[in-house]
């Protein structure tokens, strides 16, 4: 299959940037179900090594990220006073962060509050519950993007949840979170391609 990065909608001048960010989030939901939706419990929770995330842990990580980010994004949209049609640029720092979360990029450090791994040979998450939570968060991201149409995505700032002194443009966060989801779903798919991955008939 093609790399997940190629599945992200291309930016065009005929559609507001923020709606393209919504499409990336919607693509992440489609890809998550393609990769994980038919896995058995044994497959969903299998880990190549104790230090490597399972498919389940990758998705649980995305759910924890959404839980941390969405309240600030929703609040920023609600209080936004600045409006502009775009297109928007987000500056050097935000640009480097966007570059860093691209699917296929170098490994990133994960804060302890967002790390779902407890070591061991496998994780212990229920596939349908994890995917249902992921779907609900994607719906929230898409709703935020839709409500942000017309807002000045560069001028409205949001505090980075894990570094309170850092404030980045709203649009940068909406772009980062979608790309970050595609990145981890690509990682999850690579887990299913590792030697030793359980056969489809395996049970818990």
């Amino acid at each position: 299959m093609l790399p997940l990065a190629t599945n992200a909608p291309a930016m065009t001048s005929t559609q507001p940037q923020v709606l393209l960010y919504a499409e990336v989030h919607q693509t992440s939901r489609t890809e998550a179900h393609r990769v994980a939706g038919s896995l058995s419990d044994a497959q969903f929770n299998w880990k190549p090594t104790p230090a490597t995330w399972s498919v389940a842990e990758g998705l649980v990580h995305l759910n924890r990220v959404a839980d941390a980010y969405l309240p600030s994004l929703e609040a920023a949209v609600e209080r936004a006073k600045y409006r502009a049609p775009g297109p928007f640029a987000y500056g050097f720092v935000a640009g480097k962060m966007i570059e860093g979360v691209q699917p296929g990029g170098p490994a990133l450090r994960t804060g302890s509050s967002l790390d779902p791994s407890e070591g061991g040979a496998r994780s212990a998450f229920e596939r349908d519950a994890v995917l249902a939570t992921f779907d609900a968060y994607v719906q929230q991201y898409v709703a935020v993007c839709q409500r942000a149409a017309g807002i000045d995505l560069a001028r409205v700032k949001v505090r980075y949840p894990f570094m309170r002194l850092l404030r980045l443009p709203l649009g940068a966060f909406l772009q980062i979170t979608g790309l970050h989801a595609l990145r981890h779903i690509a990682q999850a798919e690579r887990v299913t391609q590792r030697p030793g991955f359980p056969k489809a008939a395996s049970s818990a």
Side-chain angles (χ1 to χ4, degrees):
M1 62 162 287
L2 293 173
L4 279 174
T6 67
N7 292 341
M11 296 296 173
T12 72
S13 60
T14 60
Q15 187 174 5
Q17 281 171 274
V18 73
L19 299 185
L20 292 169
Y21 302 157
E23 288 187 22
V24 173
H25 282 289
Q26 291 169 328
T27 297
S28 76
R29 176 169 51 196
T30 299
E31 290 297 301
H33 281 266
R34 183 187 61 78
V35 170
S38 63
L39 297 183
S40 67
D41 180 71
Q43 291 171 321
F44 191 60
N45 286 288
W46 181 81
K47 302 173 68 168
T49 71
T52 304
W53 286 357
S54 64
V55 172
E57 288 169 334
L59 291 171
V60 170
H61 166 69
L62 293 176
N63 289 343
R64 292 186 180 182
V65 168
D67 186 64
Y69 277 69
L70 275 165
S72 296
L73 300 179
E74 290 171 333
V77 170
E78 290 302 316
R79 68 171 185 269
K81 298 179 181 179
Y82 305 117
R83 305 189 69 82
F88 303 102
Y90 304 128
F92 177 80
V93 173
K96 296 302 288 185
M97 293 183 69
I98 291 167
E99 180 181 327
V101 299
Q102 294 281 345
L108 301 173
R109 181 179 178 183
T110 300
S112 59
S113 65
L114 301 179
D115 187 347
S117 177
E118 297 179 351
R122 55 168 286 156
S123 55
F125 296 100
E126 201 276 314
R127 183 199 67 196
D128 290 346
V130 171
L131 283 172
T133 300
F134 182 77
D135 290 349
Y137 280 133
V138 168
Q139 187 173 351
Q140 286 182 256
Y141 278 126
V142 171
V144 170
C145 290
Q146 291 171 339
R147 294 201 305 272
I151 290 174
D152 189 329
L153 300 178
R155 193 171 180 185
V156 174
K157 299 296 195 296
V158 180
R159 290 189 185 279
Y160 184 57
F162 308 104
M163 193 180 299
R164 302 299 294 174
L165 295 180
L166 179 61
R167 290 161 54 88
L168 295 176
L170 169 63
F173 276 117
L174 294 175
Q175 185 174 7
I176 286 166
T177 48
L179 292 172
H180 176 251
L182 290 183
R183 173 191 179 93
H184 279 285
I185 295 165
Q187 291 176 349
E189 182 162 37
R190 289 196 292 273
V191 170
T192 71
Q193 299 164 349
R194 295 281 291 268
F197 185 73
K199 300 296 185 182
S202 296
S203 58

